[in-house]
Amino acid sequence: MSNKLSRRQLLGLSAAAITGIGLSGKQAHAINHGGSGAAYQPFRGYNPPSGEARPYWEKTYSGGRLDVKPLPPVLPGRGYKPVIVPNGAALPFKIVDGVKVFHLIAEEVDWAFDSGLRAKCWGYNGRVNSTVIEAVEGERVRIYVTNRLPVSTSVHWHGFNLPNGMDGVGGLTQPHIKAGETVKYEFTLRQYGTQMFHSHHDEMTQMGMGLIGNFIIHPRNPRPEYHVARDFSLMISEWHIPAGTSRPNTLEMNDFNVLTLNGKAFPSTAPLVCKTGDKVRIRFGNLGATDHHPMHMHGHHFRVTATDGEEIPLSAQWPETTVLVGVGQSRNIELIADAPGDWPIHCHMTHHIMNQMGHDFPNMVGIDPKGLEEKLRPLLPAYMTMGHTGMDMGRMAEVMPYPKNTIAMKGAPGPFGDYIPMGGLFTILKVRDHLKSYDEDPGWYQHPPGTVAMKASDSDLRRDGISVENESGSGAGHGH
Ligand SMILES: [Cu+2]
């Protein structure tokens, strides 16, 4: 059997089926997925009204029809509330004969990870990791992919239930998209959730160069719980960009030194701005090379509400303050931002909240480097020992000039004149009672008087019988 069926052949087969002409098993199978189908039925989700059976597995492609009739396209702000893409944007679309048409362009992008660090990366439509495609369940999408890279590529729709030939695996489900070519993908969205898209050609290089993104599909008939005030989309990735170089080294497997949210390393990650009491959703995707990231949030707990597979039934959602986002996974979390303040959201792997960290140093923790530094300074003016004090940001900035095209290993000036000693996979949930606009960084939180941990006063120490000089640490709990 020819592996290419023309549209006319398919129509012919359908007609044969209708007129009851006998067909071989193989042909009959083709009809199953090729006849004229019913309209797409919105997914009821995993939280059906009580008493109704839960439709597990109903909507995977194996149980669906290839030719399902799409539902009408929906406009942002009308049928769905667009996601917020910190440091990024949703890809524009147009509607042609009831189909949402997108044009994705894979190209080299001179990308700023931070004001100090740029690199020649690969991205979609002028952005790295931060071009989001957004659509609505039941819609028909047609996505043109233009390849402006010097090599072949392909785009895989990660976590989608779609016809096999639209899966985007170069060489397996389609020919490679060669340099200069434009290829057309077209399918009906038969699910909703936080899905992703990425190159599936020379994956280590192309995904490592930045060809990844989130693909948000909103439900067609959302339940009331779906509505949130703030719906953020964040893509996690990791890079190896040795200080002073300007191209990511995608051969690196372990020692990543630039960790990013939507292609930005803190302090360049835009804060997630919320009003006190807002219901907030954060969609984490991870298409980095090898690392899984336990994303931790301060000051709040949240529920894990969905994976890239599907939403999690209400009865099975679990509370957390840290959600592990493995490579190739997405996780939705939801919370009520009810605590005003500046709250970190960050990966809890301590090496992932550093920028341009190298790891080939001897362990100097516990060593007094003073004598050593004095001896070495005349030979190496910028020398400083890396250790428990050596990583101190403020001092490092004074002593060590950074090589060209680097960012501070960690840190940014904070509200107290001290450095915030983190970088990389770090951003800030800014919750405020009053906001002029969601689109404006409200600045640092103004703490109510008496609510900031400050140096203890002598009268505090006296009142509580804390003797700083005389108590041994081990004896402090026993009283005297
Ligand atoms: Cu991490």
Side-chain angles (χ1 to χ4, degrees):
M1 189 176 174
S2 157
N3 48 16
K4 276 186 192 157
L5 275 178
S6 73
R7 190 168 176 78
R8 209 166 48 157
Q9 279 172 309
L10 277 174
L11 288 172
L13 283 170
S14 304
I18 290 159
T19 52
I21 297 168
L23 293 162
S24 74
K26 220 175 207 172
Q27 286 165 315
H29 182 75
I31 287 164
N32 257 344
H33 295 292
S36 65
Y40 175 81
Q41 292 299 311
F43 185 30
R44 283 170 297 163
Y46 288 165
N47 300 302
S50 62
E52 200 179 322
R54 206 163 60 189
Y56 263 117
W57 314 127
E58 183 180 297
K59 292 293 178 180
T60 55
Y61 174 58
S62 57
R65 297 181 65 110
L66 193 63
D67 62 340
V68 68
K69 275 206 196 82
L71 301 174
V74 175
L75 294 175
R78 309 277 283 277
Y80 67 93
K81 186 171 186 168
V83 290
I84 303 143
V85 190
N87 304 106
L91 189 65
F93 64 83
K94 53 187 158 188
I95 295 171
V96 181
D97 297 334
V99 176
K100 262 190 188 169
V101 178
F102 297 87
H103 186 192
L104 205 56
I105 298 167
E107 59 190 347
E108 183 162 284
V109 180
D110 180 26
W111 185 246
F113 289 89
D114 180 78
S115 54
L117 175 66
R118 304 187 77 89
K120 296 237 182 302
C121 301
W122 291 352
Y124 294 113
N125 300 68
R127 282 182 222 94
V128 170
N129 294 6
S130 49
T131 293
V132 163
I133 301 179
E134 192 171 25
V136 175
E137 180 192 17
E139 283 178 338
R140 186 89 172 158
V141 294
R142 194 179 297 137
I143 306 170
Y144 292 91
V145 177
T146 294
N147 179 6
R148 289 191 188 151
L149 302 170
V151 291
S152 293
T153 191
S154 76
V155 179
H156 167 57
W157 313 102
H158 182 109
F160 283 69
N161 303 326
L162 39 56
N164 183 242
M166 292 293 157
D167 197 40
V169 183
L172 176 66
T173 63
Q174 67 170 82
H176 299 160
I177 310 176
K178 294 172 193 69
E181 283 183 355
T182 296
V183 158
K184 183 185 79 173
Y185 293 90
E186 182 167 339
F187 45 91
T188 299
L189 302 173
R190 39 178 84 221
Q191 66 195 119
Y192 59 84
T194 303
Q195 315 308 134
M196 301 183 276
F197 63 101
H198 62 84
S199 162
H200 223 306
H201 183 94
D202 191 6
E203 294 79 1
M204 183 191 81
T205 304
Q206 298 202 358
M207 292 172 72
M209 287 292 282
L211 293 172
I212 61 176
N214 278 343
F215 193 135
I216 312 297
I217 311 170
H218 295 277
R220 171 70 51 163
N221 298 322
R223 285 185 308 281
E225 310 92 84
Y226 183 78
H227 297 288
V228 291
R230 306 291 280 158
D231 191 345
F232 296 101
S233 167
L234 294 173
M235 172 58 81
I236 302 167
S237 194
E238 53 192 0
W239 312 74
H240 182 63
I241 307 172
T245 68
S246 62
R247 276 181 200 275
N249 171 16
T250 58
L251 297 173
E252 182 55 55
M253 191 164 74
N254 297 311
D255 202 5
F256 299 100
N257 67 351
V258 180
L259 283 288
T260 53
L261 287 168
N262 286 350
K264 299 284 179 181
F266 185 79
S268 287
T269 50
L272 312 188
V273 179
C274 303
K275 238 181 257 165
T276 307
D278 276 352
K279 188 179 174 193
V280 178
R281 180 185 296 117
I282 303 175
R283 304 161 184 265
F284 291 111
N286 178 5
L287 288 175
T290 60
D291 281 307
H292 316 303
H293 302 286
M295 299 302 293
H296 177 58
M297 175 176 290
H298 290 210
H300 298 80
H301 59 248
F302 53 76
R303 285 178 301 129
V304 182
T305 58
T307 73
D308 35 324
E310 245 315 328
E311 62 186 355
I312 298 168
L314 207 56
S315 60
Q317 294 174 4
W318 67 98
E320 279 284 12
T321 66
T322 302
V323 61
L324 184 63
V325 190
V327 175
Q329 293 185 321
S330 80
R331 291 289 179 269
N332 286 6
I333 64 166
E334 289 177 21
L335 61 134
I336 305 295
D338 56 2
D342 291 337
W343 303 105
I345 301 171
H346 65 94
C347 178
H348 221 290
M349 301 244 190
T350 54
H351 288 239
H352 293 175
I353 45 171
M354 301 281 280
N355 293 322
Q356 293 211 302
M357 175 71 199
H359 298 105
D360 294 331
F361 305 111
N363 179 11
M364 300 300 281
V365 174
I367 289 186
D368 179 0
K370 280 200 190 80
L372 183 67
E373 288 187 359
E374 274 157 28
K375 280 183 201 145
L376 283 171
R377 263 302 130 63
L379 301 168
L380 300 165
Y383 176 81
M384 65 179 292
T385 308
M386 298 301 200
H388 69 302
T389 57
M391 299 282 177
D392 183 65
M393 180 55 228
R395 184 161 155 267
M396 188 164 334
E398 287 162 24
V399 174
M400 202 163 89
Y402 289 105
K404 232 174 91 189
N405 202 36
T406 39
I407 28 177
M409 233 183 242
K410 47 185 178 174
F416 298 101
D418 283 339
Y419 271 80
I420 300 165
M422 284 173 280
L425 281 182
F426 182 95
T427 188
I428 303 173
L429 182 77
K430 294 198 170 183
V431 184
R432 298 290 184 274
D433 291 337
H434 306 287
L435 274 180
K436 256 189 262 154
S437 156
Y438 276 128
D439 304 321
E440 222 175 274
D441 184 337
W444 299 117
Y445 182 59
Q446 302 297 311
H447 301 84
T451 65
V452 175
M454 301 298 274
K455 196 174 167 194
S457 68
D458 288 342
S459 65
D460 284 336
L461 296 172
R462 255 198 315 278
R463 181 193 62 218
D464 294 331
I466 305 293
S467 166
V468 182
E469 302 300 323
N470 301 327
E471 276 176 43
S472 77
S474 59
H478 298 291
H480 291 272

